[in-house]
Amino acid sequence: MSSPPPAEAALNEAPPEQRLHRWSWLFVLLMQLRQFLLPLVALLVFGNRGDRDQMWSYLAALVVIVVLVGTSVLQYLTYRYRIGRDAISVRSGVVSRNRREIPFARIHNVVVHQNPLHRLFGVAELRLESAGGARPEAEMRVLKLSQALALEQLVRHRGQAVVAPPTTTDADLDAEAVTPPVDDGVLLQLSTPEVVRIGLLSNRGWVVVLAAVGASFQLFPDGTVTDAIEEGGRQALGYANGLHPATWVWAVAAMVAAAAFWVLLRVFSVVLALLRYHGFQLSEQERRLTVVSGLLTRLRSSVARRRIQAWTLRESLLQRWAGRRHLRIDIAAGVSEENQRRDLRELAPLATPEAADALVQHLLPQVQWPPAHWQPVQQRGWWRLSLGTAVWVPLVAAAGVWNEVPWAAVILLWLPWSAFRAHRQMARMGYHLDDQYVAVRGGWWQRWWRFAELDKLQVLRLSRSPLDRLLGTASVWLDTAGASGSVALCLRYLPHAEARAVHARLSAALAQRRLRW
């Protein structure tokens, strides 16, 4: 390598523009073909009703493929990026030309994605995400793996640790990243038995079953699958009736079938867990967290600790019996639906309660977790949690009896269970508020804890429904940047005076934060 130019010349010299990997057009083409796969298959399979139709179907499919290939090549030829001192400049577009300047300080999350084909070619896809965006700031499909890791380090150091960044070239990136960056501290690492346990304690197997059902109806929309299932079921029942089995035999057969289906779901769940979490490792380097996981598709995601906005701990009934929990965070970075479920937001897919609490305490040393005291919620309004069930269950039962379905009245047995569950949920509700953070807890069958530092709160709202006015209660809703998930950061069903006091206290904390800004 030649010696770098003097500092003054490097500052004034414009950095050269660079292209993506020479095979990037192929990966863009494969991505587009995946989107058009079902229409192409339908065109070739269901469009062949004669020699003339078959010829037009093949010609139309060929035209579509040629257009996709041409688009992919044009995207490769028109995509350029430049690594500057403080920002990355991206120029792209075939018809409409776009130019984006992405400051390093604006990039909150870096994702390095590798599927099996990427690993075969030694390349990776790089996504740069910022706060509040529905899509990544930049998607580089594809770069050399060494270049992608070097760019990740550039963002990690915010351009401060790179020598002469304005003149960084492909050769410089390769020289800086001959080996992947070494993480200083491993905070959590999941072994293969622990990953298998994730599958056994989850219901991810339903994803495979529902995906198979949806794909079958897409590929065979004329009812072929439904007819085959009905015919197979009719033959099986006919054969079984011919044997004249006793009632207990039917009962045993039903239990065996249910047990076999449950085992099949667990097998699917374990396979999905291995594909997603194999080699899971959470590490910390220079106050940035990095998660690496995946068996076939490897995903490496990195984010600064200060971008963490809120925390959520959850445990299902099976996880509680196994002594495990799940830790998830919200970060100030927009994310597309494609990778919303697979990124750094899962800090601990499965960990013991002690390990999860220790991880929170390590990353939030200024707070005391778990709280020493939870403020409970009054129990007198517990029935409101089962109010919806108390309305629709009798209506469904009455409609069934009216239509001469006497066994429909059995659904009324759900009412006492719903009331019991609502009482237990209200008994477990509580919140904690101090000068550092606010936390809420809830759930009974599925337990959860959610908390955030006061400095990370963005929106504060005091809400009262007509039922709240009747019972003299109110709810305080809190929001942070990047909020996601089904659990809201909300202090529910507080007495009105207590809710107003909490709202005033949090408002004062937000006002002090604005003054500091």
Side-chain angles (χ1 to χ4, degrees):
M1 294 178 57
S2 59
S3 59
E8 290 81 2
L11 291 177
N12 297 325
E13 183 181 352
E17 285 190 332
Q18 304 172 38
R19 286 186 176 181
L20 301 176
H21 193 272
R22 61 181 180 275
W23 290 112
S24 63
W25 67 270
L26 177 61
F27 289 90
V28 174
L29 174 63
L30 293 176
M31 182 192 66
Q32 294 177 344
L33 286 177
R34 184 177 60 183
Q35 297 175 354
F36 288 92
L37 179 61
L38 288 179
L40 286 176
V41 171
L43 179 63
L44 294 176
V45 173
F46 302 106
N48 299 335
R49 298 181 179 178
D51 294 339
R52 186 178 182 84
D53 292 339
Q54 184 177 11
M55 181 187 67
W56 283 110
S57 298
Y58 288 154
L59 181 61
L62 180 61
V63 170
V64 171
I65 293 175
V66 170
V67 171
L68 292 179
V69 171
T71 303
S72 303
V73 173
L74 284 176
Q75 288 185 12
Y76 163 71
L77 294 176
T78 56
Y79 194 100
R80 298 286 190 278
Y81 70 96
R82 177 187 289 117
I83 304 172
R85 173 198 294 271
D86 301 315
I88 297 178
S89 176
V90 176
R91 184 163 58 90
S92 62
V94 178
V95 178
S96 299
R97 302 294 292 165
N98 301 315
R99 182 185 180 91
R100 306 195 70 175
E101 294 289 337
I102 310 171
F104 287 112
R106 185 179 175 183
I107 301 172
H108 294 178
N109 190 20
V110 182
V111 179
V112 180
H113 177 268
Q114 273 192 301
N115 60 31
L117 190 60
H118 289 143
R119 299 168 71 177
L120 179 63
F121 281 81
V123 297
E125 176 183 334
L126 187 73
R127 292 194 290 263
L128 307 177
E129 299 174 353
S130 66
R135 299 183 60 184
E137 290 290 334
E139 293 182 278
M140 298 183 179
R141 300 188 179 99
V142 289
L143 298 172
K144 289 182 180 179
L145 178 60
S146 58
Q147 294 174 0
L149 295 176
L151 277 177
E152 182 193 21
Q153 283 196 303
L154 280 176
V155 176
R156 185 191 300 271
H157 297 290
R158 300 300 175 97
Q160 297 177 3
V162 181
V163 179
T167 57
T168 305
T169 62
D170 286 348
D172 298 329
L173 288 176
D174 293 340
E176 291 174 6
V178 175
T179 59
V182 179
D183 296 312
D184 294 338
V186 176
L187 303 180
L188 180 67
Q189 192 166 8
L190 297 182
S191 61
T192 301
E194 198 70 12
V195 174
V196 172
R197 184 175 294 178
I198 293 177
L200 294 176
L201 298 179
S202 67
N203 293 315
R204 291 184 174 89
W206 283 105
V207 176
V208 179
V209 175
L210 296 178
V213 173
S216 64
F217 282 103
Q218 287 287 337
L219 294 176
F220 306 99
D222 55 351
T224 306
V225 177
T226 306
D227 295 341
I229 293 176
E230 291 180 356
E231 182 64 24
R234 190 180 301 110
Q235 293 181 359
L237 288 177
Y239 177 77
N241 288 327
L243 298 178
H244 303 290
T247 304
W248 66 269
V249 175
W250 283 108
V252 171
M255 289 188 293
V256 170
F261 184 70
W262 183 86
V263 171
L264 184 63
L265 286 178
R266 295 299 148 184
V267 171
F268 288 154
S269 297
V270 170
V271 171
L272 291 180
L274 288 172
L275 291 175
R276 179 173 179 178
Y277 297 113
H278 176 75
F280 180 93
Q281 178 177 290
L282 170 66
S283 56
E284 181 184 15
Q285 182 184 19
E286 299 177 357
R287 299 188 64 80
R288 286 189 70 92
L289 300 177
T290 302
V291 165
V292 182
S293 66
L295 180 60
L296 299 179
T297 299
R298 298 291 290 175
L299 195 68
R300 180 184 179 91
S301 185
S302 173
V303 71
R305 280 175 51 176
R306 67 178 181 276
R307 303 300 181 188
I308 300 177
Q309 303 296 307
W311 308 69
T312 304
L313 280 163
R314 304 195 69 156
E315 62 179 22
S316 64
L317 182 63
L318 290 177
Q319 289 175 344
R320 185 159 63 251
W321 287 348
R324 295 295 187 273
R325 285 180 184 172
H326 171 258
L327 176 61
R328 180 181 174 87
I329 60 172
D330 297 339
I331 59 177
V335 61
S336 60
E337 293 182 359
E338 178 183 358
N339 61 318
Q340 187 173 9
R341 296 180 298 275
R342 290 204 59 192
D343 53 15
L344 193 137
R345 285 162 171 78
E346 287 186 302
L347 282 191
L350 199 67
T352 62
E354 296 77 15
D357 293 342
L359 184 58
V360 172
Q361 194 65 60
H362 170 76
L363 298 176
L364 291 177
Q366 68 276 17
V367 306
Q368 180 184 358
W369 182 263
H373 174 70
W374 290 92
Q375 184 67 28
V377 177
Q378 292 183 358
Q379 296 295 299
R380 63 190 180 111
W382 64 267
W383 49 268
R384 64 166 58 185
L385 297 180
S386 61
L387 188 59
T389 304
V391 172
W392 69 263
V393 166
L395 293 178
V396 172
V401 174
W402 179 267
N403 289 280
E404 299 181 355
V405 185
W407 56 266
V410 178
I411 197 176
L412 293 175
L413 296 177
W414 186 259
L415 291 176
W417 164 253
S418 177
F420 174 75
R421 185 180 61 176
H423 186 272
R424 297 304 303 164
Q425 286 179 343
M426 186 69 79
R428 198 179 172 278
M429 280 187 180
Y431 73 94
H432 173 82
L433 177 61
D434 59 22
D435 296 334
Q436 298 294 331
Y437 73 108
V438 57
V440 294
R441 71 176 185 182
W444 169 62
W445 196 268
Q446 304 275 347
R447 296 183 177 181
W448 53 266
W449 300 259
R450 185 164 172 82
F451 53 97
E453 299 173 85
L454 298 186
D455 288 342
K456 302 300 176 66
L457 298 181
Q458 301 285 335
V459 179
L460 182 62
R461 176 167 57 94
L462 182 66
S463 174
R464 298 191 75 193
S465 66
L467 192 58
D468 283 322
R469 295 188 179 92
L470 178 64
L471 298 176
T473 59
S475 298
V476 181
W477 292 81
L478 314 172
D479 196 8
T480 60
S484 62
S486 58
V487 179
L489 187 58
C490 178
L491 283 62
R492 298 176 184 269
Y493 313 135
L494 304 182
H496 188 211
E498 183 179 350
R500 289 176 61 90
V502 170
H503 184 270
R505 182 176 177 181
L506 292 174
S507 298
L510 290 179
Q512 292 179 0
R513 179 190 178 191
R514 294 190 185 98
L515 290 177
R516 288 197 300 267
W517 285 359

